[in-house]
Amino acid sequence: MITEEEKRVGIHAGDTETSVVMALKRTWVHDELAPKEMPNFPTSSFLQLKSKAFAWITDDISESGIAGDATKATQDKGNAMLMLGGKLLAEAMLEMAAFDMTSLRAQKSSALS
């Protein structure tokens, strides 16, 4: 659903966030004002965004306050994301509820008994 570029640098008010807002509160998004501003994050292995080694504030990376491509956002895409997110959250909660915490304990050795 989301382009590779958006996955990499679309971190605020881009396709993902705008699509979800469209699905939840359509009147909050004005399509004609949807911006596209993709930050030029470095390709250095030491300064990549995902490494958390690269610090910034929004004004450092964006003129508009946007980091992403809101022009690609759709209400249908937002609905699909919410459905998938809800399904994944439900699966995670069911797995957590069924997990036996005592299974993490190491078995006592006979020498300690």
Side-chain angles (χ1 to χ4, degrees), residues 3 10 15 17-19 23-24 27 33 35-36 40 44 49 54 65 74 82 85 90-91 94 108 113:
T3 66
D15 188 2
E17 288 184 356
T18 304
S19 291
L24 296 172
T27 59
L33 301 176
K36 176 182 180 181
N40 295 313
S44 163
L49 175 65
F54 183 73
T74 68
L82 290 171
E91 289 172 1
L94 287 169
K108 291 181 183 178
S113 301

Side-chain angles (χ1 to χ4, degrees), residues 2-53:
I2 303 297
T3 66
E4 287 304 314
E5 182 182 34
E6 182 76 18
K7 288 177 188 176
R8 191 172 51 81
V9 299
I11 56 176
H12 181 59
D15 188 2
T16 302
E17 288 184 356
T18 304
S19 291
V20 170
V21 171
M22 287 174 142
L24 296 172
K25 193 75 171 174
R26 183 63 181 97
T27 59
W28 285 5
V29 178
H30 300 275
D31 298 355
E32 70 280 5
L33 301 176
K36 176 182 180 181
E37 188 172 349
M38 307 304 270
N40 295 313
F41 286 118
T43 56
S44 163
S45 60
F46 294 104
L47 297 177
Q48 290 179 15
L49 175 65
K50 64 185 172 198
S51 74
K52 308 293 189 253

